Amino acid sequence: MLSSSLKRRLAAALAVGATTAGLVTVSSAPAQAAAICGGDVSVYGTLPDGRLTYTAISPNTGDRVKTLIGANLGFTPKAMATLNFNTVLVTSTAGELYRVDIQTNDNALALAGVTKIWDGGWTFDKMTYDGAGHLYGTVDGQLHRYNVSQAKPSGPDHIAKHVVIDDGFVLKTLAAAGDDVLVASTADGRLLSYQINGVGDWESSQLKGSGWSAVDSLVSPGGGLYYGRTNGGMYWYHDADPTDGKGDDIAYHPGDPVDASGWTQTLLSAFAGDCTYRPPAPPTPTPSTRGGQITRSEIMSRAVNWLGRDIPYSQSAYASDPDGDHTYRTDCSGFISMAWHAASSYTTASLPSVSTTISKSDLQPGDALNTSSGHVVLFEKWIDKGAGKFSYIHESNPNDDMMRGQDYLNGGSDGRIAGHAASGYVALRYDNVVSG
């Protein structure tokens, strides 16, 4: 039996002597499924002599399934973006824009048509399509965007609403990873992701701070899958959660590349709509026990139960919790104790004994604002965090009973929250609260 390292050396040697396409399949053990894909990942490219290539890659294993080579495009290509399985946009070094229509089967790649749909002005050094109607391009550090309204656009009527998103996009590679989501690498080796919201409105996250300087081409079919070419080899990566703006969950496969060498295309492009990301279903939380751990969602569910029942305010009466297993005092602190499923009905003076003081700016659903003057409210959610505006639920007073309110951390115009001085409130987090 060959060792894995020997297998990789043999595969690399075979790749060096590959066919005209410069591509061979490198077998590897199956890996964990990487994304939700409708089939194989489709990657188009152009060879140095102008011929079009098509490569199918298994998204679950990273294995190349096949590579097909088509005819010469008839012009010198500069940038490429894949609109769908059989339609690619390609610019020429003369600034023209072409629509390339493709026909493929298991054994052949044919050009169904190469149509010039724009005479000039397309000078982008990189171009990509997000699979959801937006075509992006970069030139001189600017990021441009167009709306694409047809599967096979024929000109300005179908590629329109051109805007410049912003400056500062000096990138080595660029790919679309989903609806208005871009990934890119820089010359100094950083891997970045972008969420584009509109002109001058975008967010950037650094997925990796180094290690990507050798990647000279980057494509993504969506779903958190990235393919990067380094020194002629094609490597695949899987971002477990491509929506979190973090790169610590990106799986690398350095010993299991798509191919160890042989990728000689001058341009590469993938269809960003081949794969999608489906968040894992959250586990069903175990209901809390009195005085035990409790999720934020359960705290809020218990609070809304009393709000819906409009439990009357009283400092001496008790009411059942949603489970019907326990009763809690029906004043403001008794309500908080009930929502937290605490061991007993605490007071505003004793609530700090089962909670921790936090910054008011860190308040999350299920936390509380407690004041020494004798009132406490349950923080529900931020309405405008920047302005300090939030909503809360509380057992208000004998006249109003259970209420939902809104206010500002500073109390707004009267400096008060629920009738008490805002400056006297302290933010508390229940010691037994857990995520969920």
Side-chain angles (χ1 to χ4, degrees), residues 267-342:
L267 297 176
L268 290 169
S269 173
F271 174 44
D274 269 342
C275 306
T276 58
Y277 168 70
R278 183 179 299 167
T284 301
T286 301
S288 64
T289 57
R290 193 174 192 181
Q293 289 189 334
I294 184 170
T295 63
R296 294 187 180 279
S297 58
E298 187 180 354
I299 289 174
M300 298 313 302
S301 176
R302 290 171 66 87
V304 169
N305 177 271
W306 267 30
L307 180 66
R309 290 161 58 190
D310 197 19
I311 300 298
Y313 181 98
S314 173
Q315 292 185 342
S316 59
Y318 284 74
S320 64
D321 67 359
D323 302 329
D325 297 334
H326 307 100
T327 60
Y328 290 86
R329 195 179 59 252
T330 59
D331 59 5
C332 62
S333 53
F335 163 66
I336 299 296
S337 302
M338 183 282 303
W340 286 355
H341 210 170

Side-chain angles (χ1 to χ4, degrees), residues 220-269:
S220 173
L225 279 172
Y226 312 134
Y227 296 88
R229 182 177 64 185
T230 301
N231 298 322
M234 182 61 81
Y235 296 84
W236 64 294
Y237 312 85
H238 173 216
D239 191 341
D241 184 355
T243 67
D244 62 4
K246 300 176 182 178
D248 54 3
D249 57 350
I250 296 178
Y252 286 61
H253 304 277
D256 179 24
V258 177
D259 287 295
S261 62
W263 283 71
T264 60
Q265 291 94 332
T266 56
L267 297 176
L268 290 169
S269 173

Side-chain angles (χ1 to χ4, degrees), residues 75 90-98 116 118-123:
F75 60 90
V90 186
T91 65
S92 71
T93 53
E96 302 153 322
L97 179 64
Y98 291 84
K116 183 166 66 173
W118 221 295
D119 287 328
W122 286 77
T123 58

Side-chain angles (χ1 to χ4, degrees), residues 419-433:
H420 296 258
S423 59
Y425 280 96
V426 174
L428 299 178
R429 177 162 296 160
Y430 184 40
D431 289 337
N432 288 335
V433 70

